[in-house]
Amino acid sequence: MAEPVRRAGVAALLRRLALLAALCAAAIAGPAAAQQSPTAPPPAPVQDLLRLLEDPAVQSWLRSQREAGPSAAISPAPESGIVDGAGFVAMRIAELRAHVAGLVAAELGAEAARIGALLAPELQRQGLIAVLALVLMSIGAGLAVEWIFWRLSGGFRKRIIARQLDSAVDRIQAVGMRFAFGRGWVAAFATGSIGAFLVLPWPPLLRTIALVVLQVLLAVRLAVVLGRFLFAPGAPRFRLVAMGDVAARHWHRWAAAIIGWFAFGRLTITLLAGLGSPGPVIGLFLAASALVWLMLALVAIWTRPPRADDGPPPARGMSWAVSIYLLLLWLSLLGGAPRLFWRCAIAAATPPLLAAIRDSVARLLHGTAVSTAAPRDLLELCLERGLRGLVLIAASFAVARLFD
């Protein structure tokens, strides 16, 4: 379509130049004849234009364009940015087929061999045992600093455990103390592991891979500490989310596993992109890691205990609905639509998070025995609305960035 439009534009330009040359010739031969000699030559640009127009090839092309007519030179094109529904569906199906064909054609063996060839010189110089020792030393340093923090914070932990939770102020102070302890726990592991990582001698590529391993471990540690802060599986009176002991232990374990695997997949994809892996290979790994994440989420949903220890079993209809939604999310990744995946994931996670905030604020201000029909005071409303507003702003900002 671009070639006929270009030819038509050239033809129009040449016709305008020819008209301009004729006008110039008329102007020279008319009023200027009384002032100039009849034999005065035209200006040099006009002579060049006349010689161009006298060229047999140019005359033949202009004659063919006149015979073809303007309708054949320019084919009708749809307005820019406007695509009908059928065209959009056809375009998306074509993109989906191309994406799936790229995933099928991904040469995993060749890519693994290429990455192995990149790592082979460093492994030969450093030695596999030495590299594993460096990784274990970094992890061991993190665990050692974490153990030191645990020993030094024994008195602080005892004060948290012995703290009375009779009033809202006591409960808020207890939450702040538990949050400070959890943050220090994660910071201790991060300081030890990353500090040792920076001190130890690493080859360039192996340094990048080891950093990914440490980041995954740090994400798992953060998920474990966050789960203890929210679910408190061993201390029901500190629990912020209303559920029984069995449900708290269940979600504490599975939340850490799901978040840890998500961090592993995300960081590995970043690593593959940094190593120069082609798009189909990265897409295939993304689909495979997302499938494992989907399996973990489905197992967590279908094996979840009742919300209360003596409550009714979970509704199977809700389990089926969540399972189908998660399957559709995975299919969006398989079809090469990661932005759609994140939009739907944020839309699905926001309502439960808002409900959990309301329940947590009520438990924080009124204790464990709180009635949903009880009147709500101004402090509870302000705190709940503020936290819900922050969640909505963060979700809106995340979705807006996906449209950039």
Side-chain angles (χ1 to χ4, degrees):
M1 183 181 295
E3 185 63 23
V5 172
R6 186 181 64 82
R7 291 182 177 178
V10 173
L13 178 61
L14 291 177
R15 284 195 291 270
R16 293 173 182 173
L17 291 176
L19 178 60
L20 178 62
L23 292 176
C24 291
I28 294 173
Q35 302 176 4
Q36 297 183 359
S37 173
T39 59
V46 177
Q47 293 179 11
D48 295 338
L49 176 61
L50 293 176
R51 282 195 297 270
L52 179 62
L53 293 175
E54 291 175 356
D55 190 296
V58 174
Q59 292 181 357
S60 175
W61 187 82
L62 290 174
R63 187 164 47 252
S64 65
Q65 292 298 316
R66 286 194 298 268
E67 292 174 356
S71 60
I74 303 177
S75 58
E79 297 183 9
S80 177
I82 300 178
V83 181
D84 58 0
F88 177 78
V89 173
M91 180 179 65
R92 292 301 302 168
I93 292 177
E95 293 177 355
L96 176 61
R97 290 178 176 175
H99 180 76
V100 175
L103 296 182
V104 174
E107 299 180 356
L108 294 181
E111 182 60 20
R114 186 187 70 85
I115 295 178
L118 291 176
L119 297 177
E122 296 186 355
L123 289 175
Q124 291 176 357
R125 288 196 306 267
Q126 196 79 13
L128 180 60
I129 303 300
V131 172
L132 293 178
L134 291 176
V135 175
L136 293 178
M137 288 174 62
S138 298
I139 299 174
L143 295 176
V145 175
E146 187 180 77
W147 179 81
I148 295 174
F149 173 81
W150 180 269
R151 297 287 295 180
L152 294 178
S153 62
F156 185 73
R157 285 185 285 111
K158 290 179 180 179
R159 287 197 300 271
I160 295 177
I161 296 173
R163 190 170 188 84
Q164 299 297 324
L165 304 178
D166 299 330
S167 64
V169 176
D170 294 335
R171 287 186 289 270
I172 293 175
Q173 290 178 352
V175 167
M177 295 173 66
R178 294 181 66 239
F179 180 77
F181 174 78
R183 184 177 58 182
W185 199 356
V186 175
F189 178 81
T191 302
S193 59
I194 297 178
F197 171 81
L198 295 176
V199 172
L200 295 174
W202 293 92
L205 288 180
L206 293 177
R207 180 188 184 93
T208 304
I209 297 175
L211 182 59
V212 169
V213 174
L214 291 180
Q215 287 177 321
V216 172
L217 293 177
L218 185 59
V220 173
R221 206 71 186 131
L222 181 61
V224 170
V225 173
L226 183 61
R228 288 187 176 183
F229 176 73
L230 294 176
F231 303 116
R237 68 194 193 100
F238 291 113
R239 191 170 299 152
L240 294 178
V241 183
M243 60 178 57
D245 294 340
V246 179
R249 288 192 294 268
H250 173 85
W251 288 114
H252 177 244
R253 291 192 303 266
W254 283 102
I258 292 172
I259 294 175
W261 183 261
F262 174 81
F264 167 77
R266 183 74 175 178
L267 294 172
T268 305
I269 289 172
T270 304
L271 175 63
L272 292 176
L275 293 176
S277 297
V281 172
I282 296 177
L284 187 59
F285 179 84
L286 174 61
S289 62
L291 181 61
V292 176
W293 180 84
L294 173 64
M295 295 296 104
L296 292 175
L298 291 179
V299 172
I301 291 170
W302 285 94
T303 60
R304 73 187 190 277
R307 189 176 182 87
D309 291 338
D310 55 351
R316 297 181 64 87
M318 179 60 67
S319 301
W320 278 110
V322 175
S323 301
I324 293 173
Y325 194 84
L326 292 177
L327 179 60
L328 293 177
L329 287 180
W330 178 76
L331 290 177
S332 67
L333 281 180
L334 182 63
R339 291 174 179 260
L340 178 61
F341 167 83
W342 285 112
R343 293 168 195 163
C344 296
I346 293 173
T350 301
L353 185 57
L354 296 178
I357 287 176
R358 175 171 180 169
D359 182 70
S360 300
V361 170
R363 290 174 59 85
L364 182 64
L365 297 181
H366 301 290
T368 55
V370 58
S371 174
T372 57
R376 311 174 69 193
D377 54 20
L378 182 60
L379 176 61
E380 180 180 356
L381 289 174
C382 291
L383 184 58
E384 178 194 336
R385 295 297 188 268
L387 293 176
R388 287 161 65 96
L390 291 177
V391 171
L392 290 175
I393 291 173
S396 302
F397 179 74
V399 172
R401 289 194 62 184
L402 294 174
F403 283 95
D404 292 342

